[in-house]
Amino acid sequence: MGNLPVEVTSFVGRRRELTEAKRLLSQTRLLTLTGVGGVGKTRLALRVAAELHRAFPDGVWLVDLASLEDPKLLPDTVATALDVSDQSARSSLEVLSAYLQDKRALLVLDNCEHLLDECATLVDTLLQTGPELRILATSRQALGVDGEWTLSVPPLSVPDLSRNQSASTLRQYDAVNLFAERAAAVLPSFRIDDRNAAAVARLCRRLEGIPLAIELAAVRLRSLSVHQILDRLDDRFQLLTGGSRTALPRQRTLRALIDWSFDLCSPEEQALWARLSIFSGGFDLDAAEAVCSDGELPPEKIFDLVAGLIDKSVLVREENGSRVRYRLLETVRQYGRERLAEIGGETELRQRHCDWYRRLAEQAGAEWFGERQADWYAWLQAELPNIRIALDFSLEARYEPRAATAIAVALGMHWLGSGRLREGRHWLARALQADPEASPLRAKALWQAGKLAYFCADMAESLAWYQELSLLVATLDDPAARAYLTHFEALVALFKGDFARSVACYDEACERYRAIGDAAGVAIARSESILPASLAGDERVRALYEESLALCSAAGDRLVRSWAMWVKSSDACRRGDVREAAALARESLELKRPFNDRVGIGLCLETAAWVAAAQGQGERAARLLGVLYATVWREIDPSAADFRDRMTLHSETEAKTRRLLGDRAFPAAFAEGTRFTLEQAVAYALEETVEFASPSRPASSAALTRREMQIAELVAQGLSNKEIAAQLVIAQRTAETHVEHILRKLGFTSRTQIAAWVTERRAAPESS
């Protein structure tokens, strides 16, 4: 489990640093790799993480913070990287802490230097609540957190120029090996031999072993020899140092080389380099043409200029599905931003950037309910860093605050389908505050903010947005706003348990949506109406379902149709129709696969667990219940009406599964489920092949962390939470939390059961 990227280039050298970093991580829970830009902190961190992944059974996770500019989104960004849902009324940091508190995992936070205070707060909180968590950070300076250890990442080893060395002896230096490898990639015929050995040694020494500088220099071999590259660098460095032979500081060495790379670009390439730095997290050719072109750089020239910057290793080309994206390395991007500030025109460029992403967001919103739904989902996921930049600019620079409202509203269904409910609430709240003017757009923003709060079970905020929308609609003569309010009234009635009124409001909302030609509104309202109709015993349930299915199928929609299918499967559960419940839940899961609709997936897994229990498949039901505990419901406050009924079914399923398996076998199967990722759980529910530990293996080794096993032993000795806390020198609340986790993981309800389980485990020790 994890998200480490596959390295596209080999890892050169760093044996000492690699060994030291692994040693330090075995002794500290927070290690920060520090060093100048371009020295290779990220690559070293990735290699350390890759080599240690077996020591962290709950995963090794990379969070790249380079493109994050809004500090408030730091916890959300980390949660997204870990695939942690945020559908509760708690803060993102609370959700993240809850998720990691019993995980033996390694979290790699890359590029922390521009978010030092925020990263320090996050790291401190996570380490306090997660006793088995370790964090590896990279930054140009330490985070300043208690208990932090730092490892300065030095440049690669370089030759000693006081000694004449042959081509073969130069291979003992990491800087030379890196240059040789990157040079061969640019010029396959390149070899270090006795003719160029001295020049290569001097060049690596001149570049002070900085990996990024060496890679940029190697690119020059397309047009220059090693001797020519060295001569030009010598000339440039002497200008920078006034002719002194004193070496440049490392920061200026890299800066000088990037300066040289910039100078070797044509004036048009230089201008594009500076303009492209406005993007965050990458971009595609269409975006570059739309944002960066003008009278000086016509759109038709952008492609050739992009190709030129790729050839010069300024831009990195990346495959993203069927499309190609481009990215500036962070150090190169920062240089481009400096050049852009010198050249001028940044404000106009950011306006074009904001306008471009507003148009595309609005197009995505208009086409979301249709055949391109999955494509738009993937595009929005890739472009989220740029969308955040556009939202921030619109709000902070006061450049048309309504643009932020339009973007946040256009992404309404994406916030739901991607599981980014909290982030959607963040942007909608900011936009509503910055753009207070009464308008139909504001009405839609209020409706969406209220709906997101509802699905996060934050009913206080949801009802506040409902009240504000009610007041606004009274002042507007707008049919769409009235439709949103009626739809909202249906949700409020559902929450209050007034199912008949909820169905009536949904019916009215459908009519209002039809009157304004909003096909998506009709389909969504109709699919949502099936639940209160089922709970009210309305005989129209099947007719409502068939209507919803027809609307979604005609449009080519997947996500809304999947929700309708789940609601119908839930209705089948209530009627005891195992076959229909199983078939509908399965099809709903298949439709949800391209998305990150964690609540919807969780609800389908609930149905699958109920079906398994109803069919007497105890182990299967217990594993699915374990998945639901570990990956879904612990992150969600199930107080909304949509979930209250489901929780009742959950309790019934768990009770029946316990009867099927008994108190000893149930925890073992349940524990296996807690180790599934959500993706594995979906595959398991769909009866695809999934690897899991043998059911005969005691649950203890995987279900409980090392600390939890220690506490379980103390519980078995009869110690209270207060006594456990004193013996282990931890807070009493921490001990209580650990005991709660042990009870849930093992499926127990009392400390006596824990004690009995420990006793049985001692009698039948786990085999090695």
Side-chain angles (χ1 to χ4, degrees):
M1 185 194 306
N3 67 339
L4 293 182
V6 177
E7 289 187 286
V8 295
T9 55
S10 63
F11 184 79
V12 177
R14 298 292 192 200
R15 184 174 302 171
R16 185 190 68 79
E17 291 84 2
L18 187 59
T19 300
E20 181 67 2
K22 291 193 293 185
R23 184 186 71 80
L24 292 176
L25 265 179
S26 70
Q27 300 177 15
T28 183
R29 297 179 56 220
L30 172 60
L31 175 63
T32 302
L33 305 181
T34 61
V36 300
V39 82
K41 300 184 293 295
T42 297
R43 189 174 288 272
L44 176 60
L46 290 176
R47 178 49 63 102
V48 170
E51 294 198 3
L52 290 178
H53 78 279
R54 292 184 183 277
F56 298 98
D58 293 314
V60 176
W61 304 94
L62 169 68
V63 187
D64 185 0
L65 302 176
S67 64
L68 181 64
E69 298 193 9
D70 187 342
K72 294 178 181 177
L73 292 176
L74 175 61
D76 290 287
T77 301
V78 177
T80 299
L82 271 63
D83 198 25
V84 176
S85 177
D86 64 354
Q87 281 135 298
S88 76
R90 297 172 294 172
S91 70
S92 295
L93 188 53
E94 288 175 321
V95 172
L96 194 58
S97 297
Y99 177 77
L100 290 171
Q101 63 187 352
D102 61 351
K103 295 287 191 297
R104 189 176 179 186
L106 175 63
L107 182 61
V108 182
L109 298 178
D110 192 26
N111 294 301
C112 297
E113 52 272 341
H114 63 302
L115 300 167
L116 278 179
D117 291 342
E118 293 77 16
C119 283
T121 300
L122 176 104
V123 165
D124 188 50
T125 301
L126 295 183
L127 291 178
Q128 285 191 42
T129 56
E132 299 292 333
L133 176 69
R134 277 176 164 72
I135 296 177
L136 177 61
T138 75
S139 176
R140 297 188 185 184
Q141 64 185 95
L143 302 184
V145 176
D146 288 344
E148 176 186 26
W149 288 15
T150 62
L151 176 62
S152 178
V153 180
L156 299 174
S157 59
V158 295
D160 181 357
L161 299 183
S162 64
R163 296 186 294 126
N164 290 325
Q165 300 190 61
S166 65
S168 59
T169 60
L170 283 179
R171 285 294 190 171
Q172 65 183 295
Y173 301 103
D174 291 339
V176 172
N177 288 329
L178 178 63
F179 180 82
E181 181 179 286
R182 300 301 188 260
V186 172
L187 193 66
S189 62
F190 179 82
R191 298 289 184 276
I192 297 178
D193 53 31
D194 291 338
R195 292 172 299 174
N196 61 22
V200 169
R202 286 178 58 208
L203 178 61
C204 292
R205 187 82 185 185
R206 264 301 192 189
L207 297 177
E208 304 206 27
I210 301 174
L212 179 56
I214 290 169
E215 294 186 15
L216 289 173
V219 175
R220 304 274 74 81
L221 286 173
R222 287 194 177 100
S223 55
L224 300 170
S225 69
V226 178
H227 295 84
Q228 289 173 316
I229 294 171
L230 182 60
D231 289 343
R232 282 158 176 75
L233 277 178
D234 279 340
D235 291 343
R236 181 170 293 274
F237 288 175
Q238 286 178 10
L239 285 173
L240 289 172
T241 58
S244 168
R245 292 184 177 273
T246 304
L248 288 166
R250 289 194 178 106
Q251 292 90 336
R252 296 196 69 197
T253 297
L254 179 59
R255 172 68 182 227
L257 197 67
I258 298 178
D259 276 336
W260 186 36
S261 295
F262 189 80
D263 291 344
L264 288 174
C265 293
S266 69
E268 290 178 327
E269 288 174 336
Q270 292 176 350
L272 184 59
W273 179 345
R275 296 180 188 188
L276 291 174
S277 68
I278 204 72
F279 290 102
S280 179
F283 54 90
D284 60 21
L285 185 61
D286 291 341
E289 290 174 341
V291 175
C292 298
S293 63
D294 58 14
E296 296 179 8
L297 292 182
E300 60 270 16
K301 283 192 173 185
I302 299 297
F303 174 74
D304 289 336
L305 295 175
V306 164
L309 292 175
I310 292 173
D311 288 341
K312 295 177 176 64
S313 290
V314 173
L315 279 179
V316 178
R317 180 185 184 277
E318 298 175 330
E319 296 282 348
N320 184 47
S322 61
R323 295 182 67 84
V324 172
R325 291 177 61 80
Y326 309 98
R327 178 174 57 86
L328 290 164
L329 293 176
E330 188 57 23
T331 303
V332 175
R333 177 176 177 256
Q334 291 172 2
Y335 178 91
R337 292 298 290 269
E338 293 176 16
R339 287 290 189 168
L340 183 61
E342 295 170 5
I343 296 170
E346 181 176 354
T347 299
E348 181 182 352
L349 193 67
R350 294 199 68 174
Q351 288 174 351
R352 292 205 299 268
H353 179 277
C354 183
D355 291 342
W356 171 253
Y357 284 101
R358 174 181 178 173
R359 286 195 299 272
L360 283 178
E362 289 177 335
Q363 184 181 353
E367 297 181 6
W368 177 270
F369 183 69
E371 295 179 350
R372 296 193 61 196
Q373 190 174 78
D375 293 336
W376 278 118
Y377 173 84
W379 181 87
L380 290 168
Q381 289 287 85
E383 292 290 3
L384 188 59
N386 282 307
I387 290 169
R388 289 171 175 164
I389 290 281
L391 286 162
D392 252 332
F393 176 69
S394 176
L395 294 166
E396 297 294 338
R398 309 298 295 175
Y399 170 67
E400 290 191 40
R402 186 152 300 179
T405 309
I407 294 172
V409 165
L411 268 59
M413 286 301 294
H414 184 73
W415 302 130
L416 285 165
S418 65
R420 298 180 184 274
L421 279 72
R422 181 168 285 105
E423 180 165 356
R425 293 171 67 187
H426 167 81
W427 291 118
L428 284 164
R430 287 186 62 188
L432 285 164
Q433 183 179 11
D435 179 25
E437 183 179 344
S439 68
L441 180 62
R442 181 174 180 81
K444 191 170 186 178
L446 288 167
W447 154 230
Q448 290 193 352
K451 187 170 187 176
L452 291 179
Y454 176 88
F455 279 108
C456 286
D458 189 346
M459 292 309 301
E461 181 175 310
S462 184
L463 291 173
W465 291 127
Y466 169 71
Q467 293 297 331
E468 188 169 347
L469 178 59
S470 299
L471 294 173
L472 177 61
V473 169
T475 68
L476 293 176
D477 181 19
D478 183 70
R482 174 57 65 181
Y484 306 145
L485 180 60
T486 308
H487 196 158
F488 209 155
E489 289 170 347
L491 277 182
V492 172
L494 176 59
F495 170 73
K496 293 180 177 179
D498 190 346
F499 305 130
R501 172 162 172 73
S502 179
V503 174
C505 288
Y506 274 122
D507 287 342
E508 183 182 344
C510 285
E511 293 306 312
R512 292 186 181 279
Y513 283 131
R514 283 195 184 94
I516 60 175
D518 187 345
V522 176
I524 293 169
R526 183 49 72 219
S527 69
E528 290 177 3
S529 72
I530 304 168
L531 178 60
S534 175
L535 294 171
D538 193 317
E539 61 183 15
R540 295 186 303 151
V541 169
R542 180 163 293 279
L544 295 175
Y545 170 69
E546 296 295 344
E547 181 186 349
S548 174
L549 218 61
L551 291 167
C552 294
S553 298
D557 163 88
R558 294 174 62 100
L559 201 55
V560 178
R561 182 166 33 142
S562 72
W563 270 94
M565 287 179 169
W566 167 73
V567 177
K568 190 64 173 64
S569 76
S570 182
D571 176 72
C573 289
R574 276 187 289 275
R575 291 185 286 100
D577 190 335
V578 178
R579 180 174 296 181
E580 183 180 27
L584 288 171
R586 183 186 185 93
E587 192 167 354
S588 180
L589 272 178
E590 287 281 13
L591 290 169
K592 289 179 185 295
R593 266 189 158 171
F595 310 98
N596 190 37
D597 177 15
R598 295 177 73 91
V599 170
I601 290 172
L603 293 171
C604 289
L605 294 178
E606 281 282 4
T607 302
W610 177 86
V611 168
Q615 294 176 335
Q617 299 175 345
E619 285 186 350
R620 180 175 180 80
R623 290 185 189 116
L624 289 168
L625 290 170
V627 169
L628 288 162
Y629 160 71
T631 64
V632 182
W633 297 138
R634 67 185 300 179
E635 304 161 6
I636 296 169
D637 178 3
S639 61
D642 303 57
F643 307 126
R644 285 198 298 264
D645 175 69
R646 182 52 35 175
M647 292 302 100
T648 300
L649 193 64
H650 179 97
S651 299
E652 294 173 359
T653 301
E654 183 173 336
K656 185 165 188 174
T657 305
R658 283 183 182 279
R659 290 195 298 270
L660 286 169
L661 294 181
D663 285 341
R664 184 169 184 178
F666 177 85
F670 184 93
E672 288 170 357
T674 64
R675 298 197 298 275
F676 282 1
T677 64
L678 195 60
E679 183 178 359
Q680 288 173 325
V682 170
Y684 183 66
L686 294 173
E687 300 182 359
E688 298 172 357
T689 302
V690 180
E691 293 185 4
F692 52 86
S694 169
S696 62
R697 181 179 180 180
S700 59
S701 62
L704 303 187
T705 65
R706 188 167 46 197
R707 173 66 90 180
E708 287 167 348
M709 275 303 307
Q710 186 180 21
I711 289 175
E713 292 280 354
L714 296 176
V715 169
Q717 294 173 24
L719 273 65
S720 67
N721 289 338
K722 184 177 182 179
E723 291 169 333
I724 291 172
Q727 180 160 332
L728 298 180
V729 195
I730 59 177
Q732 183 174 337
R733 179 56 192 153
T734 301
E736 292 169 356
T737 300
H738 279 307
V739 173
E740 290 170 5
H741 290 161
I742 293 168
L743 290 168
R744 288 301 303 271
K745 284 185 174 182
L746 298 181
F748 294 155
T749 56
S750 71
R751 299 169 76 92
T752 303
Q753 288 175 300
I754 295 176
W757 176 81
V758 170
T759 302
E760 287 182 4
R761 185 174 179 276
R762 289 174 185 156
E766 189 173 15
S767 64
S768 58

